[in-house]
Amino acid sequence: SMTRLDMIPGLKVILKFDQLFWPTDLAYLNGLPSSIVWPAEAGRRGAEPVLTGYAVGSHAAHARAADGGAIAAVLRDLDSVFDGRASKHLVDSYLMDWTEVPSIGGYFAGPTTEHYLDDKAALAEPIGGRLFFAGEATNTDCASMGYVHGAMQTGRRAAMEVLEAQGI
């Protein structure tokens, strides 16, 4: 049942700088307290000086609770790696906190300690042959359970169910 699924907190931070201060071959920075960060156009010559950070689960909770908020937390992480250059060169920022959006509520659905795959299958069951469900919370394939690829898989499944219900 839905009561045994939790929405995992998550946020995205986009930071624009007046210049690139990180190595041009930087793919991503992992292991930061607040997020995983990577260049918007990693490896591309003439790339915009933009970094994108994602924080999920406990990292998102840490960033949200940080002094000054999530953007400040990610900047502090970057400043610790790049000797204060992130704060010095920041010109604009954007925060998308999916946890704060009522129609979304988090980054993705995840199991509580009482969760079973049967719960996900139950959420995917059509109602009356007229209402069909998709989304990563309905995906029972353990190999692709979360994120966008899991949601896409269930979209295909639900589309097939619609076609079948229509006799197509």
Side-chain angles (χ1 to χ4, degrees):
S1 98
M2 281 183 121
T3 60
R4 295 195 303 210
L5 290 175
D6 282 338
M7 284 302 287
I8 307 301
L11 54 88
K12 176 180 182 178
V13 173
I14 300 174
L15 304 169
K16 183 175 183 179
F17 302 94
D18 59 12
Q19 65 177 306
L20 279 147
F21 56 84
W22 55 88
T24 56
D25 62 349
L26 176 72
Y28 65 93
L29 292 171
N30 198 354
L32 299 172
S34 298
S35 66
I36 297 171
V37 177
W38 62 86
E41 303 176 76
R44 200 187 100 203
R45 185 174 243 158
E48 290 289 319
V50 175
L51 293 174
T52 301
Y54 284 94
V56 179
S58 62
H59 291 288
H62 170 79
R64 292 174 79 220
D67 185 32
I71 290 172
V74 174
L75 277 175
R76 280 192 294 275
D77 289 349
L78 292 169
D79 281 344
S80 72
V81 174
F82 296 111
D83 299 320
R85 288 179 284 176
S87 294
K88 179 181 175 186
H89 295 289
L90 182 71
V91 294
D92 201 5
S93 63
Y94 171 79
L95 170 66
M96 177 64 195
D97 188 344
W98 291 289
T99 310
E100 294 297 315
V101 180
S103 61
I104 301 174
Y107 191 63
F108 63 89
T112 65
T113 55
E114 301 141 358
H115 171 75
Y116 300 99
L117 288 178
D118 293 344
D119 292 340
K120 286 179 162 262
L123 288 173
E125 284 296 316
I127 298 175
R130 301 187 72 169
L131 184 58
F132 300 86
F133 299 94
E136 56 88 16
T138 68
N139 191 348
T140 58
D141 179 0
C142 291
S144 62
M145 191 170 285
Y147 308 108
V148 174
H149 55 285
M152 288 173 54
Q153 233 179 18
T154 65
R156 285 190 292 274
R157 179 206 22 89
M160 296 304 292
E161 291 170 350
V162 169
L163 292 172
E164 186 178 308
Q166 299 295 312
I168 300 173

